[in-house]
Amino acid sequence: MAGLLHIGTSFIPSSSSVINPKSSNQSSSSSSSLPSYTSVRRNNKKTQIQAKIREIFMPALSSTMTEGKIVSWTKSEGDKLSKGESVVVVESDKADMDVETFYDGYLAAIMVEEGGVAAVGSAIAYLAETEDEIEAARSKANSSSSSSSASPASETVAAEKTVEAPIAIQSPPLAAPPAVIAASSVHPASEGGKRIVASPYAKKLAKDLSVNLSSVVGSGPMGRIVAKDVEAAAAVASADVSSGSGVQGQKSSSTATTGVELGSVVPFTALQGAVSRNMLESLKVPTFRVGYTITTDALDALYKKIKSKGVTMTALLAKATALALAKHPVVNSSCRDGKSFTYNSSINVAVAVAIDGGLITPVLQDADKLDIYSLSRKWKELVDKARAKQLQPHEYTTGTFTLSNLGMFGVDRFDAILPPGTGAIMAVGASEPKLVGTKDGRIGVKSQMQVNVTADHRVIYGADLASFLRTLAKIIEDPKDLTF
């Protein structure tokens, strides 16, 4: 389900309100907006109706989201919008989500371009109720842009709106070079930190050709950047590269070999920023670790038997863990305020998944109640959505216990960091053949894996984890209950 755009109307009266001439004059003088009035005769009295110009705010797409990045605008300035229609794709801390509008109108002005970052609650665009209000909305957008302080995209923008009494602070453009540039060569809509005006095709072309639009001079109406401007800038950049020194060529070769530019400083993505905040938060929790060795011969045999039916090893481990948690509810509990803890009513097993640029934990909800085949199908669906960055918040924020498996990389053991708001996380190593002593005194070979659990010591104690791991080992070593 797509999110809904937050749209503010506090600074302009509702169009449904009919205002007499005296009160309308007072309203007009008290508002800094440029509203449009329509004259109406009713009962031989002349009244005025004021149309709406709304601010579109950056929505909060999850409880932990503080800022969002504009991935793409699905509509262009001037396009007509219908209630429930997707307008923009926003990258939250862990997913990309289509955001809808719940008002009809026209997308009058875009204040945060694609790739830009805005704080939750800050204005990202203006919505006009009618075509007549588009120009007024654009004027207000330009006024707001020029009167607010420009901030780096990676910093959190203040959520306050200074619509009626903006502070006139002028900041230099973010990407301004040290050399003085003649006024005639600066894009008119880029001066003073304002947004860049370019045609949709020019924006797409600039993205494909890796051209920075802030350095392109527009030749279209009112300095608008068009496709030929982008192509010309790309040609100049290509000529500069081809005439570079041998040292530059060696640097490019090194970059191609390693996949990264050595020595470069790269800012966190929204996902990496969320992971960073969570890891710092986890340091506040007193944790301890308990390890256990589990024989996996029977589980391996079961997996080979039902693998062709779409069952995954991840689903088998999640199911076994969920069944063990059902017998040890304290390990499935959580402490959030440091004063009490909750016995969670559902067993939701989150599983760590590495995706491009970070880590996310899709959640298998009610894992103890689903059969292994349904669980496997659900897991495949979650992984596909995670890699496409289409997970909904409830699909990655509702875990009560977490699994992290590095066994597929040959890692035999490791410790995992406890995610905030949960009681425990289990790190799973590779299953490997090992020489072991049998009960009759002989030496045999068995496949074994090492699991290490990190737990919140405010709620879970050593004996609790030991008992849980013993139950888990029994389920895995005799996995008949996993297929029921």
Side-chain angles (χ1 to χ4, degrees):
M1 181 184 295
L4 291 177
L5 282 170
H6 294 262
I7 303 182
T9 60
S10 59
F11 61 95
I12 294 182
S14 169
S15 62
S16 62
S17 58
V18 179
I19 312 170
N20 61 43
K22 291 183 179 180
S23 63
S24 68
N25 290 337
Q26 294 172 351
S27 175
S28 177
S29 62
S30 64
S31 174
S32 66
S33 59
L34 301 173
S36 171
Y37 293 93
T38 303
S39 297
V40 178
R41 286 194 176 274
R42 190 172 295 171
N43 296 330
N44 295 323
K45 292 183 179 180
K46 189 173 182 180
T47 61
Q48 291 179 313
I49 296 177
Q50 187 178 28
K52 296 177 184 175
I53 298 174
R54 298 183 171 93
E55 280 183 316
I56 299 177
F57 300 122
M58 173 64 72
L61 303 178
S62 71
S63 59
T64 60
M65 179 176 167
T66 58
E67 62 181 25
K69 179 180 179 181
I70 304 298
V71 176
S72 63
W73 286 95
T74 57
K75 297 293 181 180
S76 300
E77 290 184 351
D79 286 354
K80 183 174 177 57
L81 304 177
S82 300
K83 180 179 178 181
E85 194 172 9
S86 177
V87 179
V88 61
V89 179
V90 172
E91 178 185 355
S92 65
D93 46 10
K94 292 197 174 182
D96 292 351
M97 296 182 67
D98 290 314
V99 181
E100 302 170 352
T101 176
F102 44 71
Y103 284 100
D104 295 333
Y106 293 84
L107 183 58
I110 294 174
M111 298 179 67
V112 182
E113 294 287 351
E114 295 177 1
V117 177
V120 169
S122 62
I124 59 175
Y126 277 89
L127 181 74
E129 187 176 45
T130 66
E131 283 187 280
D132 295 336
E133 275 63 59
I134 292 179
E135 286 305 319
R138 288 178 178 172
S139 297
K140 178 159 287 296
N142 290 335
S143 175
S144 298
S145 177
S146 61
S147 62
S148 61
S149 297
S151 301
S154 60
E155 294 180 0
T156 302
V157 182
E160 297 180 3
K161 302 290 183 303
T162 53
V163 175
E164 296 191 13
I167 301 173
I169 298 176
Q170 186 72 27
S171 297
L174 293 179
V180 177
I181 302 175
S184 62
S185 66
V186 179
H187 191 293
S190 301
E191 295 176 358
K194 296 180 184 178
R195 64 186 186 82
I196 297 170
V197 179
S199 69
Y201 179 63
K203 292 179 182 178
K204 181 179 183 302
L205 198 60
K207 186 175 181 181
D208 294 340
L209 299 177
S210 299
V211 173
N212 184 358
L213 286 176
S214 64
S215 62
V216 178
V217 180
S219 61
M222 299 299 293
R224 184 182 180 92
I225 298 175
V226 294
K228 65 178 183 180
D229 301 325
V230 177
E231 292 171 346
V236 172
S238 177
D240 290 343
V241 171
S242 62
S243 62
S245 65
V247 175
Q248 290 176 324
Q250 293 174 6
K251 183 177 180 181
S252 299
S253 176
S254 175
T255 301
T257 302
T258 61
V260 297
E261 184 178 347
L262 301 181
S264 61
V265 177
V266 182
F268 280 166
T269 63
L271 175 57
Q272 290 170 327
V275 172
S276 176
R277 290 190 297 272
N278 284 340
M279 294 303 95
L280 290 174
E281 188 69 22
S282 70
L283 294 177
K284 301 176 183 179
V285 179
T287 59
F288 73 107
R289 297 164 180 80
V290 175
Y292 207 95
T293 301
I294 302 176
T295 300
T296 62
D297 290 320
L299 183 68
D300 293 338
L302 175 64
Y303 175 58
K304 291 179 181 179
K305 182 179 178 181
I306 60 178
K307 179 181 179 181
S308 60
K309 298 180 181 180
V311 175
T312 66
M313 180 58 76
T314 297
L316 284 170
L317 290 172
K319 179 70 173 180
T321 301
L323 293 178
L325 289 171
K327 297 180 179 180
H328 302 274
V330 70
V331 183
N332 191 53
S333 65
S334 57
C335 173
R336 291 179 172 83
D337 59 5
K339 300 177 182 178
S340 62
F341 67 97
T342 302
Y343 285 108
N344 293 303
S345 57
S346 299
I347 297 177
N348 300 334
V349 179
V351 184
V353 173
I355 59 175
D356 185 26
L359 181 74
I360 198 167
T361 53
V363 178
L364 289 166
Q365 299 181 352
D366 295 317
D368 58 321
K369 299 175 182 177
L370 294 178
D371 65 80
I372 192 63
Y373 305 102
S374 299
L375 204 62
S376 294
R377 288 193 296 271
K378 183 63 178 177
W379 176 243
K380 184 180 184 303
E381 174 190 332
L382 288 171
V383 170
D384 290 342
K385 292 177 72 173
R387 289 176 177 160
K389 300 187 71 177
Q390 293 298 317
L391 284 175
Q392 300 299 305
H394 72 276
E395 293 176 318
Y396 62 83
T397 61
T398 56
T400 58
F401 185 95
T402 307
L403 283 179
S404 182
N405 184 6
L406 293 180
M408 70 284 292
F409 298 109
V411 176
D412 59 352
R413 68 184 67 196
F414 68 102
D415 290 327
I417 299 176
L418 181 67
T422 60
I425 179 172
M426 184 166 69
V428 181
S431 176
E432 299 175 337
K434 294 181 180 178
L435 290 173
V436 297
T438 61
K439 292 181 179 179
D440 57 3
R442 297 181 181 181
I443 296 178
V445 177
K446 291 187 177 182
S447 294
Q448 294 184 329
M449 71 177 181
Q450 178 79 23
V451 298
N452 294 319
V453 180
T454 302
D456 184 345
H457 212 331
R458 297 173 299 178
V459 181
I460 304 168
Y461 303 133
D464 298 322
L465 277 191
S467 182
F468 162 75
L469 288 170
R470 185 168 57 189
T471 300
L472 177 64
K474 289 180 179 179
I475 293 172
I476 290 177
E477 290 171 2
D478 185 12
K480 60 181 184 297
D481 292 337
L482 297 182
T483 54
F484 291 136

